[in-house]
Amino acid sequence: MSDFIRIENEQFCLTVGSDAVVRSLICHATGEECVDASQMLPLCSVTQHRPFNNEIKLAHPNKRMTFAANRIRREGDSLIVGFELIGYEAVITLNVKPQYIGFKLADFIVPEGAFGGLCMTPPPVAEFRILQLPVKNREKFGEWLNVAWDNKTAVNVLATSPYARIDAEKRLGFRIMSADAVQGVKIRGTEAALIACASDKLMDNIDALEEDYGLPHGVKNRRNSPLNASMYWVHDMGPHNVDEHIARAKQGGFRMMLIYYTCLYTGSGYSRLGDYDYKDCYPNGAADVKKMLDKIKAAGITPGFHILHTHIGLQSRLVTPVADHRLHLTRHFTLARPLSEEDTTVYVQENPEDSVMHEKVRVLRFGGELIFYDGYSTEYPYCFTGCKRGHLKTNVVAHPLGEIGGILDISEFGATSLYLDQNTDLQDEIADKIAEAYDAGFAFIYYDGSEGTNAPFDFHVPNAQYRIYKKLGKEPLFCEGAAKSHFSWHMLSGGNAFDQFRMNIFKEKIIEFPFEEAPRMAQDFTRLNFGWWAFFDDTQPDHYEFGTSRAAAWNCPVTMKGYLDRMAKHPRVGDILEVMRRWEDVRARNLLTDADKEMLKDPAQEHTLLLDGKGGYTLVPYNVIDGAAQGNEAAAAFSFTLDGRGYAVLWHKTGEGTLTLPTLPDLRIEKEPGGEIMEAADGTITLAGKVYISTAVSEAEMAEAVRTITLA
């Protein structure tokens, strides 16, 4: 047998020793060595919960053990891998393509008598490491896609289905990039792929893989122009007010509208999730939804569907009066005594120590009945005490000795919903209902509540999304989600969206969270959404300008929550939506240069977009004027320099007032720099919306002058 095995395609060559140790990974395009061979890392390993071979069990501690591969041979397109101490071998089939090489755990070779006649289905495998490589560190690492790259070379270990667990352990100077098959998810048939190529070819190679394996088109969707378009979000829209929402969306220049499920279905908040009953305003169901969506699309706006696919509302038919058996339980308990309809103590076989005790989530399910408990005993006989039967109006029934139930998996977000069991078909039933509405004319999806699954999360989070995705009649332009795991990359080509922040901390939190994540997401070749920004009473134009400009620095959009009642009462709604319109126009026309984007990446400097009088915009840094109008809290003021003149932009935050003007040489009052000049014969103007004043003095002198004026 040769001392080395070469696994090669047009773009790279992986060399493994006959001892199963990874020796080399060469990228042909750059000639670079991509692994640290000095680590002597075996290509594969197998993990068992404990030794099962009798002699191994006697010779070693009974604990979870990992056995490294110590021999390997190639037979055609298969690798036959053996391991230290244990007698069976694994068969890994290779799928060699020009763009990638797939490694699939096909089967095991178990010699007769390897387990001494034990009554079991051999081999015992808790986890199987299909592939692991000590990949040298590069300038960038995308933790979601699992790719190490720089401006020359990229190395990517990725899954070809939701089943493989993909990870990378950080080491000194390298990462162990790996793919595992996991018991309880899928062992045989689990596959991962390896790509090593010139960095500018990475997306093309992943695109080919997605096409070959019939996966969602994560690459193609990332190349779609709508990804940088911000969204107008609605929660109360229907046929009665769709025109008002369209008008506001167009006023803000929004090309995308994200429509919350509450616009379609009955129920308040999360409480009826799972039923998906259309509201009375849609008597013909999805057909009437289509009419509304057609109106939105006719206005030049693309509609998307905001769903909570893993949540079941506590008032849903799936919960009351008979709780569905497919609702997830976080822990299981066995009745140690029969439970009559009158009993208020539930005796169980298992010790309930560390059971949840938050007052909103102390709920057991036995059969179809929900039972609220006050406490529990960790001394024998184990029991739950102070129980209130028929919780959430479920039917009270007797339960026999030995019945298995457990603690209901109630959502930590407000405790008004719970999570379904991903190991049942309930997620598919929900998917059918969501797909019916989506196919009425939606074009993209936000997967809210994506974290609401049972473990293992690295499988169930993306697979729950995938179960919806596969039911849709037409592939979405893109998707976003509240949580992601590796396989989600193919679906969530829009990444994730941050939730709303109050205005007093808005700018601070923009920098702390989405601004911090944006460069990391860029290493995954993905943009994120800088947030769902609620339209509050104290929202001001500079809040949105700061947030949307920081997002634009990274080619990212934002989402504004459209509350018609709040906008109707807000005195500065026109200025706020004009800020959004300008930035959305800049996004749509791709007007920002690389230099502009670099300037916008300064977290401390604010910027504003000004009309240039030629159908375009001028981007300028501007600075808040603290203490404007002698400290009047109703005055907002910023200073900047343009064409050698000192400028201040001012507006009234809450209404209007009389503004005295500073005594400065060559003072101009403008609705827009370079635009119409306003008259102020008595040295005052009425200040409401944005007004620009400029003078021949410096920006600093202008700012000081603005501090001395009055607003009454």
Side-chain angles (χ1 to χ4, degrees):
M1 180 171 62
S2 169
D3 288 338
F4 298 101
I5 296 171
R6 290 165 57 91
I7 306 167
E8 188 171 13
N9 66 3
E10 294 178 7
Q11 302 193 51
F12 67 88
C13 179
L14 172 66
T15 302
V16 182
S18 59
D19 57 359
V21 170
V22 175
R23 301 302 173 90
S24 177
L25 175 62
I26 299 293
C27 172
H28 292 325
T30 63
E32 289 187 276
E33 174 60 73
C34 299
V35 298
D36 183 351
S38 68
Q39 299 303 314
M40 299 297 288
L41 188 72
L43 184 70
C44 306
S45 66
V46 63
T47 299
Q48 297 180 177
H49 290 302
R50 64 170 175 84
F52 284 84
N53 306 64
N54 195 51
E55 290 73 19
I56 306 301
K57 179 186 69 176
L58 295 171
H60 294 273
N62 275 233
K63 64 176 184 178
R64 183 179 175 90
M65 295 183 69
T66 296
F67 304 94
N70 63 0
R71 59 192 184 279
I72 190 170
R73 64 185 187 276
R74 183 167 183 172
E75 296 180 359
D77 286 332
S78 294
L79 301 176
I80 312 302
V81 185
F83 305 89
E84 59 188 5
L85 295 180
I86 55 178
Y88 58 83
E89 296 176 313
V91 180
I92 297 175
T93 57
L94 301 174
N95 180 20
V96 180
K97 297 291 185 181
Q99 302 89 353
Y100 61 87
I101 296 178
F103 295 75
K104 180 166 70 175
L105 176 57
D107 208 348
F108 296 93
I109 301 171
V110 184
E112 186 175 352
F115 290 91
L118 295 178
C119 298
M120 58 183 292
T121 300
V125 175
E127 295 177 5
F128 188 92
R129 180 144 290 184
I130 303 167
L131 175 69
Q132 63 177 359
L133 301 169
V135 177
K136 293 178 180 178
N137 286 347
R138 294 190 173 272
E139 179 187 355
K140 300 172 183 176
F141 182 76
E143 62 176 343
W144 184 17
L145 182 56
N146 199 48
V147 57
W149 63 287
D150 53 25
N151 61 356
K152 293 176 61 179
T153 304
V155 180
N156 184 201
V157 174
L158 72 166
T160 62
S161 73
Y163 302 113
R165 184 177 67 199
I166 302 296
D167 208 349
E169 290 184 53
K170 203 170 183 180
R171 294 288 189 268
L172 185 61
F174 68 96
R175 285 179 171 86
I176 300 176
M177 296 173 65
S178 61
D180 295 336
V182 181
Q183 184 184 57
V185 175
K186 190 177 182 67
I187 295 292
R188 291 174 176 85
T190 298
E191 184 174 3
L194 172 63
I195 296 173
C197 62
S199 293
D200 60 0
K201 297 295 183 183
L202 176 64
M203 289 295 105
D204 291 338
N205 292 336
I206 297 176
D207 185 42
L209 181 145
E210 290 176 332
E211 197 66 41
D212 291 349
Y213 285 89
L215 303 182
H217 293 96
V219 173
K220 285 187 173 67
N221 291 344
R222 278 169 173 77
R223 290 169 170 169
N224 282 339
S225 59
L227 272 179
N228 77 341
S230 295
M231 304 175 199
Y232 177 89
W233 179 95
V234 291
H235 77 289
D236 64 347
M237 188 177 70
H240 66 291
N241 64 2
V242 61
D243 292 324
E244 292 179 78
H245 278 297
I246 289 173
R248 286 299 192 188
K250 291 183 73 66
Q251 188 180 0
F254 292 98
R255 293 171 281 156
M256 318 295 282
M257 182 181 289
L258 184 59
I259 301 171
Y260 203 30
Y261 71 92
T262 54
C263 296
L264 273 59
Y265 303 120
T266 59
S268 174
Y270 295 179
S271 63
R272 294 285 298 279
L273 278 165
D275 292 346
Y276 294 100
D277 297 328
Y278 289 107
K279 289 182 171 181
D280 292 342
C281 57
Y282 308 105
N284 299 305
D288 288 334
V289 173
K290 181 179 185 301
K291 292 178 183 177
M292 183 176 70
L293 299 180
D294 285 345
K295 180 175 284 192
I296 294 167
K297 288 186 281 188
I301 300 171
T302 301
F305 199 13
H306 176 176
I307 61 173
L308 280 98
H309 57 298
T310 65
H311 288 244
I312 303 297
L314 294 185
Q315 297 177 26
S316 163
R317 292 188 297 273
L318 292 164
V319 175
T320 185
V322 178
D324 194 282
H325 63 282
R326 297 167 297 178
L327 305 178
H328 186 241
L329 304 178
T330 58
R331 292 182 64 180
H332 288 82
F333 294 96
T334 308
L335 288 180
R337 301 180 188 179
L339 185 65
S340 74
E341 295 179 20
E342 293 77 28
D343 286 335
T344 58
T345 300
V346 178
Y347 290 92
V348 294
Q349 294 287 356
E350 300 84 3
N351 189 337
E353 187 167 4
D354 296 328
S355 291
V356 295
M357 280 301 295
H358 190 284
E359 61 181 6
K360 291 186 177 181
V361 298
R362 301 196 302 257
V363 181
L364 300 169
R365 180 184 64 76
F366 281 92
E369 182 185 358
L370 301 183
I371 303 170
F372 182 86
Y373 60 90
D374 278 336
Y376 55 81
S377 172
T378 59
E379 300 292 333
Y380 187 82
Y382 305 127
C383 60
F384 291 89
T385 58
C387 296
K388 299 176 179 63
R389 304 292 297 278
H391 186 57
L392 296 179
K393 299 181 180 180
T394 52
N395 296 335
V396 178
V397 297
H399 302 275
L401 170 72
E403 183 174 326
I404 298 174
I407 297 176
L408 202 61
D409 192 0
I410 296 179
S411 169
E412 63 272 35
F413 295 99
T416 58
S417 62
L418 50 83
Y419 301 134
L420 60 87
D421 190 337
Q422 291 294 327
N423 293 317
T424 71
D425 62 353
L426 183 53
Q427 183 68 84
D428 298 306
E429 288 186 15
I430 298 299
D432 286 329
K433 296 177 181 180
I434 290 172
E436 178 191 66
Y438 177 86
D439 291 340
F442 288 102
F444 63 97
I445 281 185
Y446 187 87
Y447 287 102
D448 207 352
S450 285
E451 70 284 348
T453 71
N454 33 302
F457 300 104
D458 51 3
F459 168 61
H460 282 306
V461 166
N463 196 51
Q465 297 162 348
Y466 198 31
R467 290 164 83 171
I468 308 293
Y469 203 98
K470 290 185 291 186
K471 297 275 189 176
L472 305 178
K474 184 178 180 181
E475 187 172 28
L477 291 172
F478 64 89
C479 298
E480 295 179 355
K484 58 185 180 288
S485 194
H486 172 74
F487 188 76
S488 300
W489 189 91
H490 302 286
M491 292 171 285
L492 306 189
S493 45
N496 61 300
F498 277 87
D499 227 326
Q500 63 195 36
F501 303 117
R502 297 295 309 204
M503 293 298 106
N504 63 321
I505 58 171
F506 180 85
K507 295 178 182 179
E508 170 191 342
K509 294 303 179 182
I510 288 292
I511 297 303
E512 184 178 355
F513 292 113
F515 187 81
E516 182 277 332
E517 187 188 0
R520 291 191 289 107
M521 285 286 277
Q523 295 185 57
D524 284 304
F525 303 90
T526 308
R527 64 79 166 160
L528 59 91
N529 190 313
F530 261 57
W532 292 349
W533 301 346
F535 197 98
F536 292 114
D537 294 341
D538 57 345
T539 300
Q540 294 296 318
D542 61 294
H543 291 130
Y544 280 9
E545 184 131 43
F546 180 81
T548 196
S549 63
R550 299 312 96 174
W554 297 99
N555 300 314
C556 294
V558 308
T559 297
M560 190 194 88
K561 290 189 170 184
Y563 296 104
L564 291 177
D565 55 344
R566 297 182 189 177
M567 287 188 286
K569 293 184 293 186
H570 199 297
R572 297 288 80 80
V573 63
D575 286 325
I576 293 170
L577 291 177
E578 174 61 14
V579 163
M580 296 306 301
R581 188 203 66 77
R582 294 183 185 190
W583 282 98
E584 288 313 297
D585 191 33
V586 163
R587 285 179 169 90
R589 295 162 60 188
N590 195 28
L591 296 181
L592 289 181
T593 66
D594 289 342
D596 291 334
K597 292 174 185 177
E598 286 304 312
M599 182 169 63
L600 292 171
K601 290 176 183 178
D602 181 347
Q605 178 62 61
E606 301 197 36
H607 298 80
T608 187
L609 274 181
L610 305 172
L611 300 179
D612 66 3
K614 304 173 185 177
Y617 304 92
T618 300
L619 177 66
V620 297
Y622 76 157
N623 303 286
V624 65
I625 302 175
D626 293 318
Q630 301 183 38
N632 191 323
E633 293 184 358
F638 287 77
S639 64
F640 59 92
T641 300
L642 181 66
D643 296 332
R645 294 175 65 85
Y647 269 87
V649 55
L650 303 97
W651 66 87
H652 197 294
K653 295 180 182 178
T654 59
E656 65 177 45
T658 300
L659 180 75
T660 64
L661 295 170
T663 303
L664 292 169
D666 190 23
L667 184 69
R668 298 179 192 170
I669 311 160
E670 304 162 288
K671 290 298 291 181
E672 189 77 26
E676 178 185 354
I677 297 178
M678 302 167 58
E679 296 294 333
D682 61 352
T684 67
I685 60 170
T686 298
L687 181 66
K690 284 186 177 181
V691 170
Y692 296 83
I693 61 175
S694 71
T695 181
V697 302
S698 69
E699 177 183 342
E701 290 174 295
M702 170 62 84
E704 187 56 39
V706 168
R707 294 186 180 97
T708 67
I709 61 180
T710 61
L711 175 63

